[in-house]
Amino acid sequence: MLDIVRRAQGRDHEAFELLVEEHAPEMYRIAAAIVGAADAWDLTQETFVVGWEQLPRLRDVRAFRSWIRRICVNRSRNWLRHSHRQAGLASLEDEEGRAAERLHASRGFEAAAEARIVLEDAFLRLPPDQRAVLALHYSMGLSIAETAEAIGVRVGTAKSRLSAGLSSLRTSLATEGVAPSPETVT
Amino acid sequence: MTDEQVVEYLRSRGRVETPDGLTRSVMEAVAHTSPPKRSLVAVPLGTAAVIGTLLLVVVALGGSGTAGDRATSSSPTLSGLPASQSPAPSASPSHGASDSPTPLPSRSADRPTSSAPPQGERYVAVDGFAITVLDHREADLLFAEPDRCISENDYTVLFPDAWYTNTQTGDVAACSWFSPDFFEVTAPGTAPDAIWIELSIVDGTVGYTSLTDVFYNEQLSIAGREARRVEFNPEPTGDPRFRVYHYVIPLGRAGPTFVAYTDNRMADDYELAKAVLDRLVASLGE
């Protein structure tokens, strides 16, 4: 694998394609977990385009996975930041549909479905940094240390963002009338 | 609703199938990209120049430089035309916590200086950067896809996307302070405790009345200007562990001067701060 990275640094397209095959599924999942599946395809493309352009700068080829993961996370967070205004507009359109779903769920006796809708809304309202930490740690199964590295912050910062994100989700549940559990998520 | 359901919801966000054709689509996008940007200036290793006895006795540096007054030039230039000569050189320090730091004792002319990095460190050339930078894996990752900050002081720098910088605040220009932690400016003109790196334009020139503990000196060229990279202890008679790492780029013969600064009191991880500062300064003029 290290040799493949070195070859790709030398502008070997075939070698880079091997890296894409190896890592694109993970990058797609990361993007989907942070911003949603609808935009994960474009973000995965962007990630590897940037990766291709910046690859000659990577000196420690063993760090390729962390490095490309970092690019993907950055792209996803930037996407969230830059799409903030549009999100405000889109939310108005989505609101009717969500309200209908919520009504159906409340009538439809599917507490889990209702909870999911509430959580989805709450998750989409989280700041990009908190979304990224929750997605990497829980959705991708990365350790706190790996999550911190992927985001570029210290472990303590990652922990505090994780805690803040979880707290926000619980608060939203309580606000929506779905009582949060006093249990602690670890 | 239990916390288990919260976790289950978050886990479910990662359970997505990779669509067919993703690799092909990515490679098609890659094929349409332009060739990678390469550095215009390659500074080979070994260009370090020892300051030796060349002491610029103009301004004494004292204090940590993390807070206090900042004499910010109104018309500094780094990437533009030659700097204005109008600001008179200052005989007092313009970067530091004190308005009148105690001058350090004169330095012996034959006191050795160093052009080699401290033990365990090495400068390396990185594609895209015009100067060598400290070898640091975490700093490399932080600059995988950096953010860009444009200062009204006529400079543009790249900095880690995950880090924070300031907007213009009072007399402090945008892109003056950098930190991995979020910070708020509570007192105008005063650097928050959280910052690790400071960029400033100071009146006059910057030199060293005495540097008894110089750990590294290098003369280099940054954005077409003569510059100096120095690590030293400005308080040799005080805390022997105090370390300052800075770049000094004169913008005119009599000033002003661009100073990029960190020290081991302001930065929780001094080695990382140095490596980030290297890359940040290396991006000037990109």
Side-chain angles (χ1 to χ4, degrees):
Chain A
M1 183 56 74
L2 300 184
D3 182 55
I4 293 172
V5 177
R6 290 192 189 96
R7 282 169 48 205
Q9 285 184 309
R11 307 288 88 190
D12 182 333
H13 273 262
E14 287 183 9
F16 191 71
E17 186 166 357
L18 292 174
L19 294 175
V20 173
E21 280 180 354
E22 171 78 15
H23 297 282
E26 182 187 354
M27 300 311 123
Y28 182 85
R29 286 180 60 218
I30 288 174
I34 297 174
V35 307
D39 296 292
W41 178 284
D42 287 346
L43 283 167
T44 305
Q45 266 194 357
E46 282 185 29
T47 295
F48 283 100
V49 167
V50 171
W52 172 252
E53 291 174 341
Q54 300 289 326
L55 192 54
R57 277 188 175 181
L58 177 66
R59 288 180 298 104
D60 183 359
V61 294
R62 294 167 300 180
F64 177 81
R65 187 178 182 190
S66 302
W67 180 81
I68 197 74
R69 188 185 277 162
R70 176 77 63 93
I71 291 174
C72 184
V73 172
N74 282 347
R75 283 274 141 182
S76 300
R77 290 191 304 166
N78 286 339
W79 185 94
L80 291 174
R81 289 167 183 161
H82 297 152
S83 63
H84 187 64
R85 288 185 200 136
Q86 286 117 354
L89 296 173
S91 65
L92 293 175
E93 297 170 9
D94 295 343
E95 195 54 39
E96 285 185 25
R98 291 234 171 99
E101 282 183 69
R102 192 175 285 117
L103 180 63
H104 171 75
S106 60
R107 283 181 187 160
F109 326 100
E110 296 185 24
E114 182 184 5
R116 184 177 175 81
I117 292 166
V118 170
L119 285 169
E120 182 78 6
D121 280 347
F123 185 82
L124 297 180
R125 286 196 299 269
L126 291 177
D129 289 340
Q130 290 179 18
R131 281 171 73 160
V133 169
L134 289 172
L136 291 169
H137 184 59
Y138 287 111
S139 309
M140 299 301 297
L142 269 58
S143 68
I144 294 289
E146 289 171 327
T147 298
E149 183 181 64
I151 293 175
V153 298
R154 284 171 290 172
V155 169
T157 304
K159 283 181 179 175
S160 65
R161 288 179 183 173
L162 195 68
S163 174
L166 288 171
S167 177
S168 294
L169 292 182
R170 291 195 195 103
T171 301
S172 298
L173 290 173
T175 304
E176 293 292 329
V178 184
S181 162
E183 298 167 24
T184 301
V185 178
T186 56
Chain B
M1 172 55 56
T2 67
D3 275 355
E4 279 182 11
Q5 284 173 289
V6 174
V7 173
E8 175 52 30
Y9 161 74
L10 292 170
R11 285 180 180 153
S12 73
R13 292 188 64 84
R15 287 197 287 267
V16 292
E17 292 293 323
T18 307
D20 293 336
L22 183 60
T23 297
R24 183 163 46 84
S25 169
V26 167
M27 291 310 296
E28 284 174 1
V30 166
H32 287 91
T33 60
S34 54
K37 182 181 176 185
R38 303 189 75 86
S39 69
L40 299 175
V41 183
V43 179
L45 291 168
T47 56
V50 177
I51 293 178
T53 58
L54 293 176
L55 299 179
L56 314 172
V57 188
V58 179
V59 177
L61 287 175
S64 69
T66 59
D69 296 337
R70 284 169 178 78
T72 304
S73 167
S74 59
S75 59
T77 61
L78 188 66
S79 56
L81 298 171
S84 164
Q85 300 292 311
S86 55
S90 170
S92 62
S94 48
H95 183 282
S98 168
D99 286 339
S100 54
T102 305
L104 299 171
S106 296
R107 182 175 167 205
S108 169
D110 59 357
R111 189 174 295 278
T113 58
S114 169
S115 61
Q119 192 173 10
E121 295 180 352
R122 68 188 180 111
Y123 285 96
V124 293
V126 174
D127 193 75
F129 286 149
I131 60 172
T132 56
V133 296
L134 279 173
D135 188 11
H136 198 290
R137 181 172 178 270
E138 174 61 12
D140 281 341
L141 289 174
L142 284 170
F143 277 80
E145 194 188 7
D147 210 340
R148 184 180 298 273
C149 191
I150 302 172
S151 171
E152 62 274 19
N153 268 353
D154 199 23
Y155 62 81
T156 299
V157 290
L158 303 180
F159 70 102
D161 179 78
W163 282 36
Y164 298 87
T165 186
N166 66 295
T167 56
Q168 187 180 10
T169 308
D171 291 338
V172 180
C175 327
S176 292
W177 298 327
F178 297 87
S179 171
D181 300 316
F182 179 78
F183 62 85
E184 289 182 294
V185 180
T186 52
T190 301
D193 289 340
I195 69 162
W196 284 24
I197 287 171
E198 178 176 13
L199 308 185
S200 59
I201 309 273
V202 300
D203 287 335
T205 59
V206 172
Y208 317 94
T209 54
S210 173
L211 295 177
T212 54
D213 288 335
V214 176
F215 307 107
Y216 186 71
N217 292 307
E218 183 180 3
Q219 192 165 2
L220 28 75
S221 175
I222 297 172
R225 294 179 180 278
E226 292 292 311
R228 193 175 297 282
R229 170 161 62 188
V230 188
E231 183 171 27
F232 61 104
N233 182 350
E235 300 175 356
T237 59
D239 181 0
R241 293 165 301 182
F242 187 29
R243 295 288 183 278
V244 166
Y245 186 72
H246 76 182
Y247 284 82
V248 172
I249 308 176
L251 303 179
R253 199 175 52 182
T257 305
F258 179 89
V259 178
Y261 181 99
T262 188
D263 68 45
N264 63 353
R265 291 176 180 168
M266 62 197 290
D268 294 346
D269 185 338
Y270 177 56
E271 295 307 315
L272 176 60
K274 287 166 57 179
V276 168
L277 182 60
D278 282 345
R279 286 154 179 79
L280 203 143
V281 170
S283 73
L284 286 167
E286 271 206 347

